[in-house]
Coordinates of all heavy atoms in Angstrom, one line a residue:
Chain O
V296 N -12.4 -11.3 14.7 CA -11.9 -12.6 15.2 C -12.9 -13.7 14.7 O -14.1 -13.5 14.9 CB -11.8 -12.7 16.7 CG1 -11.2 -14.1 17.1 CG2 -10.8 -11.6 17.2
T297 N -12.4 -14.7 14.1 CA -13.3 -15.8 13.6 C -12.7 -17.1 13.7 O -11.5 -17.3 14.0 CB -13.6 -15.5 12.1 OG1 -14.7 -16.4 11.6 CG2 -12.4 -15.8 11.2
M299 N -11.8 -20.9 12.3 CA -11.4 -21.5 11.0 C -12.6 -22.1 10.4 O -13.4 -22.8 11.0 CB -10.3 -22.5 11.3 CG -9.6 -23.1 10.1 SD -8.2 -24.1 10.6 CE -8.9 -25.3 11.6
V308 N -15.5 1.6 2.7 CA -16.2 2.7 2.0 C -15.1 3.5 1.4 O -14.4 4.3 2.1 CB -17.1 3.6 2.9 CG1 -17.7 4.7 2.1 CG2 -18.1 2.7 3.6
Y317 N -9.1 -1.4 -4.4 CA -8.1 -2.5 -4.2 C -8.2 -3.1 -2.8 O -8.6 -2.4 -1.8 CB -6.6 -1.9 -4.3 CG -6.4 -1.0 -5.5 CD1 -6.7 0.3 -5.5 CD2 -6.0 -1.5 -6.7 CE1 -6.5 1.2 -6.6 CE2 -5.7 -0.7 -7.8 CZ -6.0 0.6 -7.7 OH -5.8 1.4 -8.8
L323 N 1.5 -10.4 9.7 CA 2.3 -9.7 10.7 C 3.8 -9.9 10.4 O 4.3 -10.9 10.2 CB 2.0 -10.4 12.0 CG 2.7 -9.8 13.3 CD1 2.2 -8.3 13.5 CD2 2.4 -10.6 14.5
G324 N 4.5 -8.7 10.4 CA 5.9 -8.7 10.3 C 6.4 -8.8 8.8 O 7.6 -8.8 8.6
Q325 N 5.4 -8.9 7.9 CA 5.8 -9.0 6.5 C 5.4 -7.8 5.7 O 4.8 -6.9 6.2 CB 5.2 -10.3 5.9 CG 5.7 -11.6 6.6 CD 5.2 -12.8 6.0 OE1 4.9 -12.9 4.8 NE2 5.2 -13.9 6.8
K326 N 5.7 -7.8 4.4 CA 5.4 -6.7 3.6 C 4.0 -6.7 3.1 O 3.3 -7.8 3.2 CB 6.3 -6.6 2.4 CG 6.3 -7.8 1.4 CD 7.3 -7.6 0.3 CE 7.4 -8.8 -0.6 NZ 8.4 -8.6 -1.7
S332 N -7.6 -5.9 -7.7 CA -8.0 -4.6 -8.2 C -9.4 -4.7 -8.8 O -9.7 -5.7 -9.5 CB -7.0 -4.2 -9.3 OG -7.5 -3.1 -10.0
Y334 N -12.4 -2.5 -10.9 CA -12.6 -1.3 -11.7 C -13.8 -1.5 -12.7 O -13.8 -2.6 -13.3 CB -11.3 -0.9 -12.5 CG -11.5 0.1 -13.6 CD1 -11.9 1.4 -13.3 CD2 -11.4 -0.2 -15.0 CE1 -12.1 2.4 -14.3 CE2 -11.6 0.7 -16.0 CZ -11.9 2.0 -15.6 OH -12.1 2.9 -16.6
S339 N -10.1 -6.4 -12.3 CA -9.2 -6.1 -13.4 C -7.9 -6.9 -13.2 O -7.3 -7.2 -14.2 CB -8.9 -4.7 -13.5 OG -8.3 -4.2 -12.4
D346 N -7.5 -16.6 -4.3 CA -8.0 -17.9 -4.9 C -9.6 -17.9 -4.8 O -10.2 -16.9 -4.5 CB -7.4 -19.1 -4.2 CG -7.7 -19.2 -2.7 OD1 -8.7 -18.6 -2.3 OD2 -6.9 -19.8 -2.0
P354 N -21.6 -3.6 -3.9 CA -23.1 -3.9 -4.1 C -23.9 -2.7 -4.3 O -24.9 -2.8 -5.0 CB -23.4 -4.6 -2.8 CG -22.4 -4.2 -1.8 CD -21.1 -3.9 -2.6
S357 N -21.3 2.4 -3.1 CA -20.5 3.1 -2.1 C -19.6 2.1 -1.4 O -18.4 2.3 -1.2 CB -21.3 3.9 -1.2 OG -22.2 3.0 -0.5
T360 N -16.6 -4.6 -0.7 CA -16.4 -5.7 0.3 C -15.5 -6.8 -0.2 O -15.4 -7.1 -1.4 CB -17.7 -6.4 0.7 OG1 -18.3 -7.0 -0.4 CG2 -18.7 -5.3 1.3
L361 N -14.8 -7.4 0.8 CA -13.9 -8.6 0.5 C -14.5 -9.7 1.4 O -14.7 -9.6 2.6 CB -12.5 -8.3 1.0 CG -11.5 -9.5 0.9 CD1 -11.3 -9.9 -0.6 CD2 -10.2 -9.2 1.6
L368 N -6.2 -20.6 8.9 CA -5.3 -20.0 9.8 C -4.4 -18.9 9.2 O -4.2 -17.9 9.7 CB -4.5 -21.0 10.6 CG -5.3 -22.0 11.5 CD1 -4.3 -23.0 12.1 CD2 -6.0 -21.2 12.6
S378 N -8.2 3.1 -2.5 CA -8.9 3.5 -3.7 C -8.1 4.6 -4.3 O -7.3 5.3 -3.6 CB -10.3 4.0 -3.4 OG -10.3 5.2 -2.6
T382 N -5.3 10.1 -11.5 CA -3.8 10.3 -11.5 C -3.2 10.1 -10.2 O -3.8 10.2 -9.2 CB -3.5 11.8 -12.0 OG1 -4.2 12.7 -11.1 CG2 -4.1 12.0 -13.4
S390 N -7.6 2.3 7.2 CA -6.8 2.1 8.4 C -6.7 0.6 8.7 O -6.0 0.2 9.6 CB -7.4 2.8 9.6 OG -8.8 2.4 9.7
T392 N -8.3 -3.7 8.5 CA -9.0 -4.6 9.4 C -8.1 -5.7 9.8 O -7.5 -6.4 8.9 CB -10.2 -5.2 8.7 OG1 -11.2 -4.2 8.4 CG2 -10.9 -6.3 9.6
V396 N -7.8 -15.5 12.7 CA -8.5 -16.8 12.5 C -8.0 -17.8 13.5 O -6.8 -18.1 13.5 CB -8.3 -17.3 11.0 CG1 -9.1 -18.6 10.8 CG2 -8.7 -16.3 10.0

Side-chain angles (χ1 to χ4, degrees):
Chain O
V296 181
T297 190
M299 189 171 59
V308 179
Y317 313 88
L323 184 64
Q325 298 187 22
K326 61 182 177 180
S332 165
Y334 166 66
S339 61
D346 61 23
S357 61
T360 63
L361 174 69
L368 295 176
S378 69
T382 56
S390 53
T392 294
V396 182

